[in-house]
């Protein structure tokens, strides 16, 4: 049995879970290639202008699988509706199977609906198993293992490992071991955004590497301790944030606004053009950042983003912060000196 | 207390009653206009959807006119709408308005009666008067909303038959004004007949055979003529009969779980989009199928630029449904840059296309135009729609 999985969108968040699940169920996974130029072109041609880039890229991946693997039994396009009672994923995630199943020559979709408002995830897994001809107990067993593996994966990320590296280990079936040489830099940034923007190095023009080249250490919200995400963010009394991923971003930001204020030197938010949730969240974050004086840069990416322009913006941003930091250091030295003198 | 709320076309008449019946004074923002939109755009996040910007402009205008209480509908998820009120409140505070309160009208599920909180907040403190007033407010609100819907329905039909261009628009304006001034229950009960009589007395040419077009889309865009460039009027004046089932009343009844029309549309849409993803996506899809089955000539889908659910609906219609149902469709995505130049040309080209298709069909099938007109199936349209159609079709 062969199941195709587009290497896009929720792949960057949930792949370890799926992989373990399918491995346990003895199903062969066929992944689309990493994002490349041709694939983006196909996706862009297929989706029209007003769609956000990540969904167009998803089209590209799905179409590649359809074209190059006519022998697929299923295409795996999960429907993530909500993972916590009070939350939703973006409307485009929710309707993803509906827009993919109508692609030309699309094989049968393997349904997997995560919708805890209606039923627990275990039920979804059993349904998934049924389509693959697996018994209920086999599915539940696989689910348990997959969940355990996924928890380990998340724990591994919290040790400060980058998602890109961790996914590589998952793909190679290698056990999780923290690399000895962790990246270090003279300054530290928090990189915000959807996983598929942050970790698809083709789409974001290898953003993290550009930062590393500038001697910047990068962390993402996956690297933060769990307790930060325990409590809901209250934007104001009237608003309960209901977008799952945005909630995580806001929780992280809340931490850096308060206790974690001195742990980072700046924040960069990668936003997809035409992304609904980000258009509002980035506004809230920008105001918060201004209020506490953390340098903040929002970068909007779309299919026309160019290398050169991006590099200039990153450089001037990091230079600005480095200068600021030097000044601060000099100032504090000065202070120490003067205090010594007085005493 | 001076209360206000953002514009959504004629709906202001109904909202006004709701608040006024509670004994609260109302100041309306100016009808949506260029200036308000410019301001909304200036202070809004750049990439937020257009209704956010338009309503922010309205709210600012209302505050400038002295309002101290703003009422804004919210709906929690999955779309951006749930964020409107709180982000807008923040923005207004930053713009320097400090002394106002913004009361969200939670319409996520009207049957949970959370919306009553609004009434408690603005109503008088004496419980007994509060209840009687609240009852009256809701009753009047629903009645007026229903009448507005009927006016909209009749407007879509009669304009295609009017002999003197502009008559229908005048009739609509007159009726809306009259409805606004009708504040007794007897008056409101009789108003349905007023609407009927006024339209039936128009000078119309019953020999015409207008094209029939269904229109649907995101609700704010669909109801606010300034932002949709008055698309329904323009189509009507090109001699097209239109039906748009989206209205404030339609939405409210839906939120009380009593809207069988919407349930029907959901049923039609289910194989293609099995759940509500925000906006009007599910119902737009249902409406497309319904309109096609009813033998209409075309379909218009309008929504704010980059609107998430509607973009999904559009994808499903273009990539799939159009191949099955073969109903021509035209899309309009509106934002602050929409100008009326290209808009008109596109509409005209669309209407020409529909005419050509209809002529060809009639010729190919060797039927008379009268027979062609009858292909509509029974379920289509609400009672009032069918009454109006019958009136214009009987000579
Ligand atoms: S969250 Fe934003 S980027 Fe992601 S699918 Fe939705 S609109 Fe697109
Ligand atoms: S339905 Fe469209 S216009 Fe309404 S909040 Fe969602 S994206 Fe914005």
């Amino acid at each position: 049995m062969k199941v195709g999985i587009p290497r896009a969108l929720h792949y960057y968040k949930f792949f370890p879970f799926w992989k373990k699940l399918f491995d346990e169920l003895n199903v062969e996974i066929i992944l689309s290639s990493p994002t490349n130029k041709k694939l983006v072109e196909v996706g862009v041609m297929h989706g029209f202008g007003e769609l956000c880039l990540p969904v167009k890229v998803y089209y590209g991946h799905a179409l590649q699988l359809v074209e190059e693997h006519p022998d697929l039994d299923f295409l795996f396009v999960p429907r993530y509706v909500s993972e916590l009672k009070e939350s939703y994923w973006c409307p485009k995630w929710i309707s993803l199977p509906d827009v993919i199943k109508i692609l030309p020559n699309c094989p049968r979709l393997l349904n997997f609906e995560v919708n805890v408002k209606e039923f627990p995830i275990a039920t979804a897994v059993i349904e998934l198993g049924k389509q693959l001809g697996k018994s209920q107990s086999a599915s539940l067993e696989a689910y348990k293992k997959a969940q355990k593996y996924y928890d380990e994966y998340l724990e591994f990320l919290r040790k400060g490992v980058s998602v890109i590296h961790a996914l590589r280990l998952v793909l190679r079936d290698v056990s999780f071991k923290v690399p000895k040489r962790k990246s270090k830099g003279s300054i530290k940034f928090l990189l915000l955004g959807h996983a598929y923007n942050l970790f698809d190095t083709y789409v974001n023009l290898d953003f993290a590497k550009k930062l590393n080249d500038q001697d910047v250490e990068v962390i993402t919200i996956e690297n933060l301790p769990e307790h930060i995400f325990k409590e809901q963010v209250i934007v104001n009394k009237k608003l309960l944030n209901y977008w799952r991923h945005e909630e995580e971003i806001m929780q992280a930001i809340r931490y850096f606004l308060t206790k974690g204020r001195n742990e980072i030197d700046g924040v960069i938010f990668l936003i997809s053009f035409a992304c609904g949730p980000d258009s509002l969240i980035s506004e809230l974050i920008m105001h918060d950042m201004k209020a506490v004086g953390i340098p903040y840069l929002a970068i909007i990416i779309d299919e026309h983003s160019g290398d050169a322009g991006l590099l200039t913006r990153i450089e001037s941003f990091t230079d600005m912060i480095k200068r600021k930091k030097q000044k601060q250091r000099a100032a504090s030295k000065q202070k120490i000196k003067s205090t010594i003198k007085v005493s | 207390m001076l209360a206000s709320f953002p514009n959504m076309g004629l709906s202001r008449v109904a909202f006004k009653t709701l608040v006024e019946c509670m004994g609260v004074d109302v100041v309306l923002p100016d009808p949506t206009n260029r200036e308000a939109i410019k301001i909304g755009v200036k202070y809004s996040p750049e990439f937020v959807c257009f209704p956010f910007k338009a309503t922010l402009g309205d709210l600012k205008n209302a505050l400038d006119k002295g309002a101290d209480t703003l009422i804004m509908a919210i709906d929690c998820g999955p779309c951006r709408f749930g964020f409107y009120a709180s982000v807008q409140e923040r923005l207004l505070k930053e713009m320097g308005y400090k002394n106002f309160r913004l009361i969200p009208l939670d319409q996520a599920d009207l049957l949970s009666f959370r919306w009553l909180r609004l009434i408690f907040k603005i109503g008088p403190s004496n419980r007994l008067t509060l209840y009687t007033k609240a009852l009256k407010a809701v009753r009047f609100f629903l009645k007026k909303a229903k009448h507005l819907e009927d006016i909209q329905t009749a407007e879509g039909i009669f304009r295609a038959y009017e002999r003197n261009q502009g008559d229908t628009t005048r009739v609509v304006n007159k009726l809306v004004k009259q409805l606004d001034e009708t504040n007794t229950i007897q008056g409101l009960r009789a108003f349905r007949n007023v609407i009927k009589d006024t339209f039936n007395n128009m000078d119309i040419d019953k020999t015409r055979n207008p094209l029939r077009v269904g229109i649907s889309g995101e609700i704010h865009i669909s109801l606010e003529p300034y932002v949709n460039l008055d698309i329904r009027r323009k189509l009507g004046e090109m001699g097209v009969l239109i039906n748009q089932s989206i209205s404030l009343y339609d939405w409210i009844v839906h939120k009380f779980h009593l809207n069988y029309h919407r349930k029907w549309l959901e049923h039609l849409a289910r194989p293609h989009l099995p759940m509500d993803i925000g906006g009007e996506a599910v119902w737009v899809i249902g409406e497309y199928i319904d309109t096609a089955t009813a033998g209409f000539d075309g379909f218009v889908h309008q929504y704010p630029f980059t609107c998430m659910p509607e973009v999904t609906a559009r994808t499903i219609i273009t990539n799939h449904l159009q191949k099955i149902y073969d109903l021509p469709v035209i899309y309009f995505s509106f934002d602050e840059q929409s100008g009326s130049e290209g808009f008109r040309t596109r509409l005209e080209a669309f209407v020409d296309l529909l005419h050509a298709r209809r002529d060809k069909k009639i010729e190919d099938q060797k039927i008379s135009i009268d027979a062609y007109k009858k292909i509509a199936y029974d379920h289509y349209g609400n009672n009032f729609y069918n009454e109006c159609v019958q009136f214009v079709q009987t000579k």
Side-chain angles (χ1 to χ4, degrees):
Chain A
M1 187 97 66
K2 277 188 188 166
V3 172
I5 302 184
R7 196 192 291 249
L9 230 53
H10 7 36
Y11 165 88
Y12 291 97
K13 202 162 171 66
F14 296 116
F15 181 68
F17 176 78
W18 305 338
K19 173 151 192 314
K20 192 72 181 170
L21 192 68
F22 286 123
D23 281 354
E24 290 297 319
L25 291 172
N26 282 323
V27 171
E28 190 188 342
I29 296 176
I30 310 270
L31 272 177
S32 55
S33 74
T35 312
N36 57 40
K37 184 155 177 249
K38 174 157 173 262
L39 192 148
V40 173
E41 275 169 10
V42 171
V44 167
M45 212 164 64
H46 197 91
F48 66 101
E50 284 170 56
L51 276 172
C52 55
L53 181 61
V55 171
K56 292 184 199 168
V57 171
Y58 195 89
Y59 273 124
H61 282 273
L63 285 165
Q64 187 202 54
L65 284 171
V66 170
E67 191 181 314
E68 290 178 9
H69 301 275
D71 57 336
L72 285 181
D73 294 293
F74 289 103
L75 194 62
F76 180 62
V77 184
R79 189 195 294 281
Y80 278 88
V81 180
S82 95
E83 198 190 32
L84 291 176
K85 273 254 149 60
E86 286 296 316
S87 79
Y88 278 108
W89 296 96
C90 146
K92 288 182 201 159
W93 282 46
I94 303 181
S95 57
L96 199 62
D98 304 309
V99 295
I100 295 298
K101 77 175 181 202
I102 55 182
L103 290 177
N105 304 326
C106 185
R108 259 185 308 164
L109 295 194
L110 189 55
N111 290 327
F112 180 60
E113 180 172 330
V114 176
N115 188 356
V116 297
K117 283 180 204 277
E118 307 278 337
F119 44 81
I121 298 179
T123 315
V125 175
I126 293 173
E127 282 301 313
L128 176 95
K130 261 194 213 156
Q131 299 165 66
L132 297 164
K134 308 289 171 188
S135 74
Q136 184 161 338
S137 55
S139 302
L140 281 178
E141 195 51 36
Y143 169 51
K144 248 189 246 150
K145 288 207 176 123
Q147 189 59 46
K148 185 163 163 275
Y149 182 71
Y150 189 58
D151 289 341
E152 280 166 24
Y153 167 79
L154 293 179
E155 194 47 51
F156 181 54
L157 292 179
R158 283 186 209 111
K159 294 189 179 133
V161 183
S162 85
V163 172
I164 298 179
H165 179 72
L167 277 177
R168 231 178 269 143
L169 297 186
V170 171
L171 275 175
R172 284 201 236 122
D173 268 326
V174 183
S175 63
F176 298 138
K177 230 174 56 212
V178 183
K180 282 196 205 86
R181 202 173 44 81
K182 273 210 282 182
S183 74
K184 275 268 170 278
S186 59
I187 50 177
K188 191 165 168 186
F189 283 175
L190 173 68
L191 197 52
L192 290 178
H194 292 271
Y196 38 89
N197 287 336
L198 300 190
F199 310 121
D200 186 331
T201 48
Y202 182 84
V203 165
N204 68 24
L205 308 163
D206 218 348
F207 198 80
K209 170 135 191 316
K210 286 200 172 64
L211 284 173
N212 288 339
D213 290 349
Q214 307 273 323
D215 198 22
V216 178
E217 184 188 342
V218 177
I219 55 166
T220 60
I221 58 175
E222 286 81 359
N223 303 134
L224 299 175
E226 205 174 358
H227 68 84
I228 295 181
F229 304 100
K230 284 267 141 71
E231 231 175 281
Q232 267 211 315
V233 173
I234 297 170
V235 177
N236 71 23
K237 278 188 302 237
K238 287 158 200 144
L239 176 69
L240 212 65
N241 181 5
Y242 45 82
W243 283 320
R244 185 75 192 98
H245 186 255
E246 275 62 24
E247 178 68 14
E248 287 170 357
I249 291 183
M250 306 271 283
Q251 282 162 328
I253 284 297
R254 174 181 55 188
Y255 174 71
F256 290 112
L257 286 176
T258 50
K259 279 196 220 99
R261 171 66 193 87
N262 295 318
E263 287 176 27
I264 48 167
D265 302 300
V267 173
I268 300 185
F269 196 168
L270 284 187
I271 303 172
S272 320
F273 174 73
C275 171
D278 287 353
S279 67
L280 281 164
I281 298 295
S282 60
E283 179 78 11
L284 294 175
I285 293 177
M286 189 178 79
H287 285 283
D288 289 346
M289 290 294 144
K290 236 193 232 156
V292 295
I294 299 179
Y296 170 76
L297 177 69
I299 290 187
I300 295 183
I301 42 180
D302 64 11
E303 55 267 41
H304 312 298
S305 299
D307 235 357
L310 190 63
L311 197 60
T312 338
R313 291 193 64 194
I314 298 178
E315 273 172 4
S316 63
F317 186 66
T318 44
D319 284 351
M320 187 261 293
I321 292 174
K322 281 181 190 158
R323 265 199 313 268
K324 196 173 121 191
K325 210 164 168 174
Q326 260 163 12
K327 243 189 241 158
Q328 268 171 2
R329 241 183 245 138
S332 65
K333 258 189 210 151
Q334 207 70 52
K335 229 187 189 166
I336 294 171
K337 261 191 211 151
S338 56
T339 30
I340 293 171
K341 247 184 225 160
V342 172
S343 62
Chain B
M1 191 189 325
L2 194 55
S4 191
F5 36 80
N7 285 316
M8 195 162 76
L10 303 178
S11 312
R12 64 174 170 275
V13 174
F15 281 125
K16 188 164 154 239
T17 287
L18 181 68
V19 180
E20 275 180 350
C21 285
M22 298 305 302
V24 175
D25 291 328
V26 170
V27 57
L28 293 175
D30 297 338
T32 305
N33 56 63
R34 201 138 149 224
E35 200 43 42
I37 290 197
K38 227 162 89 191
I39 285 169
V41 169
K42 182 165 162 213
Y43 290 100
S44 299
E46 188 178 353
F47 294 107
V48 78
C49 37
F50 190 47
F52 182 100
K53 299 176 181 169
T55 49
L56 183 65
D58 289 341
L59 293 177
K60 177 181 185 297
N61 179 257
L63 290 175
D64 288 339
K65 286 169 110 175
D68 53 22
T69 302
L70 301 175
I71 300 169
M72 181 80 198
I74 60 168
D75 189 353
C76 282
C79 209
R80 279 182 267 200
F81 191 35
F83 277 77
Y84 274 27
S86 32
V87 179
Q88 284 174 335
E89 183 178 31
R90 241 170 115 150
L91 291 172
L92 288 167
K93 292 247 152 90
E94 271 162 29
M95 283 152 74
Y97 298 94
K98 302 283 182 224
N99 301 317
F100 71 94
R101 54 182 184 157
L102 192 145
I103 305 181
L105 175 55
D106 192 338
Q107 45 137 2
D109 188 346
L110 293 181
L111 272 190
S112 71
F113 291 97
R114 262 188 286 182
W115 53 276
L116 276 177
R117 277 192 222 149
L118 163 78
I119 286 176
F120 286 126
K121 273 199 185 132
I122 64 170
S125 48
N126 179 326
R127 276 296 149 109
L128 200 65
T129 36
L130 177 71
Y131 287 134
T132 39
K133 279 189 170 171
L135 198 67
K136 181 177 161 204
V138 173
R139 240 167 115 199
F140 276 34
F141 171 70
L142 287 175
K143 280 239 176 294
K144 286 203 179 180
K146 172 68 182 139
H147 291 317
L148 286 172
E149 179 183 271
D150 287 346
I151 294 175
Q152 173 184 306
T153 305
E155 174 192 5
I157 297 167
F158 280 84
R159 194 175 276 122
Y161 292 89
E162 67 184 10
R163 263 190 229 278
N164 314 307
Q165 200 175 71
D167 270 6
T168 311
T169 310
R170 271 187 289 279
V171 164
V172 170
N173 290 341
K174 191 179 119 205
L175 280 170
V176 170
K177 187 154 174 281
Q178 210 174 330
L179 181 63
D180 191 27
E181 287 159 1
T182 307
N183 286 313
T184 60
I185 196 73
Q186 294 83 357
L188 286 176
R189 279 216 193 96
F191 207 81
R192 189 180 152 102
N193 284 332
V194 177
I195 298 176
K196 259 167 95 174
D197 293 345
T198 321
F199 275 105
N200 292 357
N201 284 331
M202 273 179 59
D203 180 14
I204 57 169
D205 175 3
K206 292 190 177 181
T207 62
R208 287 188 200 161
N209 293 304
L211 289 167
R212 288 175 299 185
V213 167
I215 179 163
S216 189
E218 191 277 332
I219 189 162
H220 178 267
I221 294 281
S222 296
L223 294 184
E224 178 51 57
Y226 187 83
V227 299
N228 66 30
L229 305 176
D230 219 352
I231 185 167
R232 280 181 279 136
R233 186 170 121 207
K234 290 203 177 110
L235 269 172
E237 289 179 352
M238 290 175 192
V240 178
L241 181 156
I242 42 190
N243 191 30
Q244 167 180 310
S245 70
I246 286 178
S247 71
L248 177 66
Y249 183 73
D250 174 71
W251 182 249
I252 300 288
V253 179
H254 163 64
K255 286 296 181 182
F256 278 111
H257 303 278
L258 291 170
N259 193 326
Y260 297 103
H261 178 240
R262 278 190 184 244
K263 290 207 163 83
W264 166 243
L265 297 181
E266 283 161 27
H267 165 76
L268 292 175
R270 189 153 301 128
H272 313 287
L273 186 63
M275 58 179 74
D276 180 9
I277 57 166
E280 295 279 335
V282 175
W283 301 286
V284 165
I285 286 177
E287 195 84 59
Y288 179 82
I289 299 172
D290 201 38
T291 312
T293 334
F296 269 46
D297 302 290
F299 190 77
V300 178
H301 181 201
Q302 51 185 345
Y303 59 88
F305 184 64
T306 73
C307 168
M308 300 188 279
E310 303 300 332
V311 164
T312 299
R314 174 174 172 171
T315 311
I316 295 176
I317 295 177
T318 334
N319 289 2
H320 189 55
L321 296 177
Q322 221 185 333
K323 290 176 202 146
I324 305 177
Y325 292 97
D326 192 30
L327 176 72
V329 50
I330 187 166
Y331 304 97
F332 289 103
S333 72
F334 293 106
D335 65 4
E336 59 270 21
Q337 275 140 25
S338 326
S340 45
E341 288 298 303
F343 174 72
R344 217 195 158 82
T345 338
R346 278 187 67 205
L347 265 188
E348 274 165 0
F350 184 63
V351 171
D352 287 345
L353 167 91
L354 298 188
H355 268 297
R357 273 177 60 109
R358 183 171 78 172
D359 292 347
K360 185 157 182 309
K361 250 196 204 157
I362 290 174
E363 205 185 295
D364 287 354
Q365 299 176 1
K366 304 215 169 14
I367 50 172
S368 71
I369 182 105
D370 282 323
Y372 178 85
K373 273 193 305 200
K374 297 251 152 52
I375 326 180
Y377 72 137
D378 305 344
H379 311 336
Y380 188 80
N382 61 18
N383 285 343
F384 195 71
Y385 171 84
N386 284 303
E387 277 174 36
C388 293
V389 166
Q390 204 155 38
F391 178 82
V392 291
Q393 285 191 355
T394 34
K395 291 182 180 148

